[in-house]
Amino acid sequence: MYGQYRLCFEIQIITELSLTEKGDASLMNIECATGVPILDLPLSAPSSRQPRFITATPSVGLNLICPNLSLGGAERIVLELLISLARTSPVSEGQINLFLLRRGRIEYRIPQSVQIAVHRLHHLPESQRLRFIAWQLTQKASPVAYAHLLNADEILQLSRYGVTVLPVIHNHSPAWLFQPRSISGVIPWATAVSSSVAIEVRRDLPNLPTHVVRHELQRDYDKDKLKIDRTRIRSIHKIGDSVLIGMVGKFKPQKRYELALRIIKALQDDIDARLMILAPTPDENDPNFFYFQGVKALANSLGLKRSVIFVDSCTDPRPYYAAFDCFLNTSQFEGLSIASMEAKQTGLPMVLTNVGGQQELRGEGITFLDRNAAVESFAAKIRVAATESRQAPLPRLHPKNLIPRLWSMLATYGTELGAAARKPALLFITCNLDQGGAQRSLVNLLNEIHCPYPVSVCVEQAAHREDYVLSLEERGVDCFSLQKIPALCDQLDALLSYIDSHRITAICFWHAGVRFKAMLSKILCFRNVRFLDVSPGPHLFRELDNAIPFFQRIAWSPEQYFARIDKFVSKYTYGQIPQRYGDFATKTSVIPNGVPSFEVSTPKAMTPYARPVEANPEYAVVSSGRLVPAKLIIEQLQVAEMVRKVVPQFTLTFIGKVEGAKNLEYWQDVEVVHRKLRLDGTVFFVGSRVEPSRALPEFRVFLMLSYFQGCPNASLEAMAAGLPVVANPDGGTQDQVMDGETGFLLPETDLEGIAERLVYLLCNPLVAKRMGCAGRERARSHFSMVAMARRYRDLFDEATGYSNPLASRT
């Protein structure tokens, strides 16, 4: 094992090998002849003691109401999300319901193999259909249903029958079936299929809460299959070598098929162009029947009868996208064009009007034109697009069922729980319980704070510190883990179920995963749950910026996230929310970490414990923390080489582990530099089994170089132990270390200057002792754990809605 990780330890003759199991079989004490204890392996691993595991929600549910499944974009959204849920999620009988009020002339087919309860109500008297839906839904614990393409009267009637209706608005205002203000006060919130639709809804009724859920196609496209389909479709319709322009969508005036005909006529001046329109033919009772007749008449009058192909009754347009050379959408307005999304996913060159949800499409091969652009402008863009190489089909993003599950979770957890009063309850969410500073500060806080209401901790991943788990359990904290649930959506569903069942009133993100933050803040956006975010440092904002693609998938943004949270806590003076996200100064507090007061007494039998016996205690420097790139371990090795040249007795000891297998490559780089600089006997890595607070008094100076610091615990503990600190002024370090008084601050690029300060302190022990004493006093006066706990307690009381009965009597 030591050969595998190439540890930089000098082990002479091993006279005795002692394996002592203490909770974690992977942690070993290896005593060698020199007496140097090699405390544990460098790779941090999950401890044997884990928080209790919670399981995935046994079943996912969703109720949808729709007039019918006729061939349209809204109906495609309904069908795809239902099929995806039924195929990719745990589903019990009767949990996924589709209510169809009427029958369409041509409809999408629902596969027999999927577990969807389809209620076709066209055989019932029209007055009884909504009553049947209400009777079915009110038998459930949560009678919530999405209403697609229903009018205001239908929504109001369902609401009167006890159904919580969530209307879905698919298009822009000219095509609305009702004005949002007509259902104001009846619905908890509405859903828009694109951001542009949501803007119009909020313009009509600013106080109506509105979610945006942008559909993602639930189908995959295979490049080889597309080639086969292209040959087949073009052969069936005798396309030959003509440039085939494709359009998909119902015959409605907003689609402006008459403009498309004139574009084809203009193209035919110099290329052999044909137009194929995939759209169901309206029957004579359809209000769009006369528009369809007008389009056909115009095609004949322009001499395009043989150049325009009308494809009726196409329930699966996928093969046709392969046959097209360019996709055209000339709509006057669009909510969210499923056809445009399909064309994009198949890699087809596209020419689109820049209206509505189409503007939210991004990627190569898309050309936008103003909806009022001239015919020749469209023709010119199509000439270019039709000659471009077709892109490879776009793969679906993971998790593939993210958007269907988002629809389900919004309906299940996004509405308020009723009128019953909730008692204060606080939930922390953190990514793990490892050796990092954020987790250490959380455990320190929960050991100090005393909340008169339930406190829970959700750990997304594994716990690497057994002592943290035991400490939280001893304090009566309900600590649970999502580790046994592999899929993100299942984790979120289980966590949301916990939030509901335990009636959580406040959620505190304490170094939580950014996807959890994004999803929970969106799903619970309109719930009476308060959010707090305790920032571990500047990498929070970097994580948010890196997660923009995920935010875009769920139609959310970092700006909306910060607008939703109720309180943001920075751990150092300059760690506030950047202005690029908005002005949130009024919801920001600065609360630095506190350091526990401790008196270290090291028994002689255990001396030395962390400091190698070769290390002269008068010249021993220590650094503690995770062995990761942000901790600048290689730069510290370079500093060590410089110091050794002046002070041969100098040693540098690292207390900490490699965090995660992803950092093993960096560890190997560290080892290469260690060997190259010949630092054997000068630099030691002793793992992290010993608590830094216990080991620090064995040393004389503390060294810390790092990027992306919040309020580092390592330097605070060193100050509390009476060590002068030499560090770079990153993040909250500059709040802690007073340059020239409690240590020295130098840029991480000034390695020579850092080495000089270490030499100075090692050669001037009285100065080092004076600085260490000043640092201890500063830790006590400015970074008290009691003060930290008091300030957080005030925040948590306000967030949970706790009212101190004693305070109310005074």
Side-chain angles (χ1 to χ4, degrees), residues 629-750:
K631 300 303 180 183
L632 303 177
I633 308 300
I634 290 176
E635 286 77 3
Q636 294 188 60
L637 296 183
Q638 294 169 341
V639 169
E641 183 202 22
M642 298 178 196
V643 175
R644 183 181 59 178
K645 291 177 180 178
V646 183
V647 184
Q649 308 98 312
F650 156 80
T651 58
L652 174 60
T653 301
F654 286 94
I655 301 175
K657 290 182 179 180
V658 178
E659 186 181 85
K662 63 183 180 181
N663 290 306
L664 280 179
E665 184 177 348
Y666 178 70
W667 168 255
Q668 292 170 359
D669 293 338
V670 169
E671 193 271 346
V672 168
V673 174
H674 184 278
R675 288 186 176 179
K676 182 179 179 181
L677 298 179
R678 299 182 179 181
L679 293 174
D680 291 346
T682 299
V683 175
F684 301 88
F685 296 89
V686 297
S688 64
R689 186 165 184 183
V690 60
E691 274 294 308
S693 59
R694 183 179 183 180
L696 288 171
E698 303 174 24
F699 300 88
R700 292 298 172 263
V701 181
F702 185 82
L703 173 63
M704 183 178 72
L705 302 181
S706 182
Y707 286 130
F708 310 120
Q709 291 281 26
C711 182
N713 290 287
S715 46
L716 281 180
E717 291 175 348
M719 291 165 63
L723 270 62
V725 176
V726 178
N728 60 317
D730 184 77
T733 309
Q734 55 194 321
D735 288 348
Q736 299 175 1
V737 181
M738 297 292 99
D739 187 35
E741 297 180 19
T742 66
F744 295 107
L745 292 174
L746 295 96
E748 65 278 359
T749 55
D750 186 9

Side-chain angles (χ1 to χ4, degrees), residues 489-556:
C489 293
D490 290 339
Q491 289 179 332
L492 286 163
D493 220 316
L495 180 55
L496 286 161
S497 177
Y498 180 94
I499 291 169
D500 264 10
S501 62
H502 289 74
R503 306 187 74 81
I504 299 297
T505 56
I507 297 171
C508 181
F509 295 122
W510 197 291
H511 198 203
V514 67
R515 296 195 298 178
F516 273 76
K517 292 181 179 183
M519 291 289 283
L520 290 176
S521 61
K522 181 180 179 75
I523 292 167
L524 302 178
C525 183
F526 305 131
R527 285 279 300 275
N528 187 23
V529 176
R530 294 176 70 84
F531 286 100
L532 303 92
D533 190 330
V534 179
S535 168
H539 66 268
L540 162 67
F541 311 116
R542 183 182 55 162
E543 287 177 347
L544 289 171
D545 289 341
N546 291 339
I548 291 297
F550 184 83
F551 275 99
Q552 290 174 340
R553 288 187 69 188
I554 65 171
W556 200 234

Side-chain angles (χ1 to χ4, degrees), residues 302-319:
L302 293 175
L304 297 175
K305 185 174 182 179
R306 297 182 179 277
S307 300
V308 179
I309 305 168
F310 296 95
V311 179
D312 185 24
S313 308
C314 178
T315 59
D316 185 4
R318 282 182 297 178

Side-chain angles (χ1 to χ4, degrees), residues 575-596:
Q576 292 94 336
I577 302 170
Q579 283 293 321
R580 67 179 182 271
Y581 297 129
D583 185 4
F584 299 108
T586 57
K587 63 171 63 176
T588 300
S589 298
V590 177
I591 306 179
N593 283 340
V595 58

